[in-house]
Amino acid sequence: MLSRILTFGAAFMILVVVNKYLIGPLWGELVFTAVIAGGATYLLGRLERGARTSHP
């Protein structure tokens, strides 16, 4: 039981460190990338659907 608690605690601390030092400074870039990727996925889906309906 103690080993599970220690493992969970260590994993939590790793996530906190990654969030503070990697994700924190790059937050704006990550959001920008996510928005662009979402838009590209949406547009490609629309283009593919249009290609399917125009050529039966």
Side-chain angles (χ1 to χ4, degrees):
M1 182 69 175
L2 180 60
S3 64
R4 280 188 173 177
I5 293 172
L6 291 176
T7 303
F8 180 76
F12 182 76
M13 290 305 295
I14 290 170
L15 287 174
V16 167
V17 168
V18 166
N19 186 39
K20 183 175 181 178
Y21 293 107
L22 294 178
I23 295 175
L26 301 174
W27 185 249
E29 293 176 22
L30 290 170
V31 169
F32 177 77
T33 302
V35 168
I36 295 299
T41 302
Y42 173 76
L43 288 175
L44 288 173
R46 298 265 308 171
L47 288 173
E48 186 176 323
R49 249 182 294 157
R52 273 193 238 149
T53 57
S54 63
H55 298 289

